[in-house]
Amino acid sequence: MQVPNYALSTQQKQLVGEAFLKFQLAPKVPAMFPARTVQEATVVPTPRITAMPNMPACMLGLINRRSRVLWVANLVRLLGLPLPERSSQQYSLITIQAGNMPLALKVETIDGIIHIPPETIQPPPSHANPIVLPYLKGSAIYQDESILILDAEAILQSSALQHA
């Protein structure tokens, strides 16, 4: 009698755990949102965003996506990080939502969905920039890379957005 093999394949093991959308906040600054808070991840030409006057520096403007008008914010600026920006012909946007408030966030690049086992999620790293700490849920190690886990609700409650 042959005993069935219940061992998980490498691919199956990677699918165990919570789903996250991984992206580059800035070059060599990996971050992710829990997939349940993400509505859409897309790349759009920069002219699709309409700039609005008298807005905080983090606000890029408005975009019409799927018959909805959304605010677009530069996530690096929204978090208050002093990271350099590159000009681009297109923006990588992640639309997040908590409650009924959606917001599109410009990020460096979108890497895709990954699955993180709950036991690998840790508190925010002690070396994290103090400006970013209120927006972090934690961190995780994935393929030998430390990745920040951002809190969509905290970002949507940011004081910079309250003045927009």
Side-chain angles (χ1 to χ4, degrees):
M1 177 175 152
Q2 188 171 353
V3 177
N5 184 357
Y6 291 109
L8 294 175
S9 71
T10 303
Q11 183 178 12
Q12 288 172 319
K13 286 179 185 176
Q14 290 175 348
L15 295 178
V16 175
E18 187 176 354
F20 290 88
L21 178 65
K22 182 177 178 278
F23 59 93
Q24 298 297 310
L25 183 58
K28 298 182 183 176
V29 182
M32 58 189 173
F33 281 113
R36 70 181 178 281
T37 63
V38 175
Q39 287 192 324
E40 181 180 34
T42 189
V43 177
V44 299
T46 55
R48 294 268 321 271
I49 298 172
T50 304
M52 300 301 290
N54 304 319
M55 297 305 298
C58 68
M59 300 305 293
L60 296 173
L62 295 170
I63 188 169
N64 186 338
R65 290 291 301 159
R66 302 180 189 272
S67 301
R68 291 189 323 171
V69 176
L70 301 172
W71 283 105
V72 179
N74 180 323
L75 185 54
V76 170
R77 284 190 177 176
L78 179 66
L79 297 177
L81 294 172
L83 297 172
E85 287 188 55
R86 300 179 311 147
S87 62
S88 175
Q89 299 290 321
Q90 59 190 21
Y91 289 148
S92 295
L93 299 180
I94 298 172
T95 303
I96 61 170
Q97 183 166 348
N100 56 359
M101 182 182 170
L103 177 67
L105 299 167
K106 175 196 169 280
V107 298
E108 183 73 20
T109 58
I110 299 168
D111 298 333
I113 298 289
I114 61 173
H115 291 79
I116 303 291
E119 64 273 8
T120 64
I121 296 176
Q122 306 166 356
S126 58
H127 65 278
N129 187 325
I131 295 170
V132 179
L133 280 177
Y135 305 106
L136 291 180
K137 275 192 162 187
S139 65
I141 303 295
Y142 180 78
Q143 296 181 347
D144 297 325
E145 180 178 50
S146 179
I147 307 170
L148 301 174
I149 302 172
L150 295 174
D151 185 340
E153 289 183 39
I155 289 170
L156 290 168
Q157 297 300 319
S158 167
S159 61
L161 295 177
Q162 304 311 313
H163 298 104

